[in-house]
Amino acid sequence: EAGVAQSPRYKIIEKRQSVAFWCNPISGHATLYWYQQILGQGPKLLIQFQNNGVVDDSQLPKDRFSAERLKGVDSTLKIQPAKLEDSAVYLCASSRDRNTEAFFGQGTRLTVV
Amino acid sequence: AQTVTQSQPEMSVQEAETVTLSCTYDTSESDYYLFWYKQPPSRQMILVIRQEAYKQQNATENRFSVNFQKAAKSFSLKISDSQLGDAAMYFCAYTNYGGSQGNLIFGKGTKLSVKP
């Protein structure tokens, strides 16, 4: 069974530019999560989808971050415009449903200069 | 709000020996899940072990076991017979029972080094 796929693995952008990350969850997984992991800290949940609907986006900075999962499969997370403090690893995870274990991808390391 | 605290930024263990990583948490809920995740340099978070708060028996997975003290809100991870492949960041995590098991609150992590 293929795992959670994320791309790109690394991204370097200048502040005020925009960037997008892509996540393809494990086949059949209805629940999808995006996390932000700043260096030296644990991951923090940004948004949770159930199929193509948002379950929890309480910690998503909505003035600059957006995420979608239009067909209930893959998802994109966008930052526009980026700030220096957005430098982090962005992790995607998926689970079969809300009550089962979440599996994580290898993340995208974003550096904003 | 729930919080998770890991007070050991770094730990070191000799290969084949035992090490214990500490975690405390704060919650007003009576039912919840606790987890330990491993994050190697590849960055992928891997579930090591899970504990349901309503279960008194401590969870065990091969060389990994936990000491769950509900009243003290303590959840430590014991790694027995440490192997070089155990070297990684370890994160303690919490979620409410009835919530999503991927909707996690993480501690800051403990970096474990294993010496040959």
Side-chain angles (χ1 to χ4, degrees):
Chain A
E1 179 180 68
V4 176
Q6 290 189 246
S7 66
R9 287 274 286 159
Y10 302 90
K11 188 74 176 179
I12 301 174
I13 62 171
E14 295 182 350
K15 59 183 179 182
R16 292 186 291 274
Q17 285 187 325
S18 63
V19 64
F21 313 126
W22 175 80
C23 172
N24 190 22
I26 294 172
S27 178
H29 281 198
T31 312
L32 186 146
Y33 311 84
W34 282 103
Y35 281 85
Q36 179 193 57
Q37 184 177 17
I38 293 173
L39 184 64
Q41 297 184 20
K44 181 184 80 172
L45 181 72
L46 292 176
I47 190 167
Q48 175 187 342
F49 290 95
Q50 183 68 24
N51 296 309
N52 60 351
V54 175
V55 174
D56 182 356
D57 63 356
S58 57
Q59 299 191 91
L60 186 73
K62 299 180 184 66
D63 57 334
R64 297 183 301 105
F65 286 65
S66 64
E68 60 183 15
R69 193 185 184 200
L70 293 176
K71 297 182 179 179
V73 181
D74 56 350
S75 175
T76 56
L77 176 69
K78 297 179 182 178
I79 308 174
Q80 182 179 9
K83 293 185 176 181
L84 296 177
E85 58 261 36
D86 298 331
S87 294
V89 172
Y90 291 84
L91 295 164
C92 180
S94 71
S95 59
R96 188 170 304 280
D97 55 51
R98 292 178 55 184
N99 300 315
T100 55
E101 175 189 349
F103 293 86
F104 285 78
Q106 292 186 304
T108 296
R109 180 179 296 280
L110 173 68
T111 302
V112 182
V113 298
Chain B
Q2 294 87 3
T3 59
V4 176
T5 302
Q6 293 179 251
S7 59
Q8 305 157 316
E10 296 189 27
M11 291 284 285
S12 181
V13 64
Q14 205 72 31
E15 193 176 7
E17 295 191 344
T18 297
V19 63
T20 299
L21 308 184
S22 301
C23 172
T24 58
Y25 59 94
D26 189 28
T27 182
S28 58
E29 302 291 329
S30 58
D31 290 327
Y32 46 86
Y33 293 99
L34 294 165
F35 306 81
W36 278 98
Y37 277 85
K38 172 184 178 181
Q39 187 178 42
S42 68
R43 305 197 298 257
Q44 186 175 19
M45 301 286 281
I46 301 165
L47 179 63
V48 174
I49 200 163
R50 183 185 77 169
Q51 174 78 44
E52 292 94 333
Y54 63 87
K55 290 186 177 179
Q56 293 186 343
Q57 187 172 6
N58 289 325
T60 300
E61 289 287 343
N62 300 313
R63 298 183 294 108
F64 299 87
S65 61
V66 298
N67 183 3
F68 173 50
Q69 301 290 327
K70 191 173 184 179
K73 295 182 181 176
S74 171
F75 182 62
S76 61
L77 174 70
K78 186 172 81 171
I79 306 174
S80 303
D81 185 25
S82 297
Q83 300 176 0
L84 295 177
D86 294 334
M89 287 291 297
Y90 285 82
F91 292 92
C92 180
Y94 167 101
T95 192
N96 286 327
Y97 185 79
S100 301
Q101 291 205 20
N103 190 330
L104 299 161
I105 299 169
F106 286 91
K108 289 189 175 184
T110 296
K111 182 178 181 180
L112 178 66
S113 302
V114 180
K115 298 178 180 177

